[in-house]
Amino acid sequence: MARPAGPSTPPVLCYHRVGGPLELGVTRVARQVFARHVNTLARSGWRTLTLAQYASRIGGTPAAAGERECLLTFDDGYASLADFAYPLLRDLGSVATTFVVTDFVGQANTWDVRYTWRRMMHLDWRAMEQWQARGFAFASHTASHARLTWLSDARVTDELARSRDALVCRLGAEAGRALAYPFAAYDPRIERLAGSLGYELGFGGVRGTGSPLGLPRVPVYVWDVGRVPLGLRTGMWGQAARLVARVANRCAIGTSVIRGVTRGN
């Protein structure tokens, strides 16, 4: 059983898109910015953890003295990650965990509001299998990217179980241990349902709940253009980054509202 996350838990960064077409939203990070981030971290001695290594830290296995560790994650699982982000990380000896929307594997992102002129494609199973063999991990971002807190218990169970079953079937048991909540929207009910279905780790908003199914992450947004991601900074800049991230997460409710309206028409 994993212990509660505490102050010694390694920080978790959350990227969405790296490069590709411009968007009206805030989740796209330019390729040169992403390269600047990961190159700086590698030169500064930061080590990116595998999901299994991160889970061991939650479970009580300490890091080596002075070790600088973080978990680098991507949400949504866009196909373009395999064109630039993954190869760059591999060349640096780094890894990442990607949370995928399983109903849309290998398909366009029609689950989302159209922020770009053309719809974007998601990774297919073959690409995930290839990168998993190189040490990258994949886990659940639910089946359809629904805002779980707006769903009944039955629908939440369907979203989480269907996604986990697909991942375990194609990528093995390790792919079924973790979940990233869409829009960072979760509560004790969602944590309870996720745990009952076999999820061990759940990633949400900036603060977290102290539970292994309520782990904190700091998203990296378009304005995060420095050499070190704001989510890894301490002091005033780190506090400001977390405050802005919380505000941005709250603003994401507009996407859920728009999707609900358009699906109803």
Side-chain angles (χ1 to χ4, degrees), residues 27-254:
T27 61
R28 179 187 181 274
V29 173
R31 285 189 172 191
Q32 61 267 33
V33 171
F34 181 76
R36 185 185 307 144
H37 285 172
V38 296
N39 276 288
T40 299
L41 294 180
R43 289 195 300 267
S44 300
W46 280 89
R47 176 190 180 207
T48 56
L49 298 171
T50 66
L51 186 61
Q53 289 167 339
Y54 179 85
S56 76
R57 298 292 181 265
I58 299 296
T61 302
E67 190 79 45
R68 306 174 80 182
E69 298 179 333
C70 67
L71 182 68
L72 194 157
T73 69
F74 296 98
D75 275 6
D76 306 331
Y78 290 114
S80 58
L81 292 173
D83 298 329
F84 177 77
Y86 291 172
L88 176 58
L89 290 168
R90 175 201 58 200
D91 293 345
L92 290 170
S94 300
V95 292
T97 296
T98 302
F99 295 97
V100 297
V101 187
T102 53
D103 281 358
F104 293 87
V105 169
Q107 301 180 39
N109 69 327
T110 53
W111 57 265
D112 199 3
V113 172
R114 188 189 290 271
Y115 287 115
T116 56
W117 180 253
R118 290 185 179 179
R119 291 287 185 180
M120 292 171 293
M121 297 299 294
H122 290 283
L123 292 162
D124 59 26
W125 291 114
R126 178 179 173 81
M128 284 187 269
E129 290 165 351
Q130 291 172 339
W131 285 101
Q132 185 184 55
R134 295 167 180 157
F136 288 65
F138 298 88
S140 173
H141 203 31
T142 74
S144 71
H145 205 284
R147 182 176 285 267
L148 297 176
T149 52
W150 289 6
L151 304 182
S152 67
D153 285 6
R155 288 191 60 195
V156 171
T157 298
D158 177 68
E159 281 281 336
L160 299 187
R162 188 151 44 90
S163 179
R164 187 174 187 274
D165 289 348
L167 286 160
V168 170
C169 179
R170 293 301 301 254
L171 301 178
E174 183 68 18
R177 75 184 308 178
L179 161 71
Y181 305 106
F183 311 108
Y186 70 107
D187 56 26
R189 177 179 69 100
I190 303 302
E191 286 191 39
R192 174 178 55 79
L193 291 171
S196 71
L197 293 168
Y199 289 100
E200 301 171 25
L201 305 174
F203 295 88
V206 176
R207 288 181 174 171
T209 64
S211 160
L213 285 165
L215 296 165
R217 287 194 300 172
V218 181
V220 182
Y221 289 133
V222 63
W223 52 76
D224 200 343
V225 296
R227 302 191 70 82
V228 176
L230 292 170
L232 295 184
R233 298 190 188 186
T234 58
M236 180 184 68
W237 284 110
Q239 293 174 7
R242 286 163 175 77
L243 174 61
V244 172
R246 287 199 297 270
V247 172
N249 277 341
R250 290 184 180 277
C251 291
I253 196 170

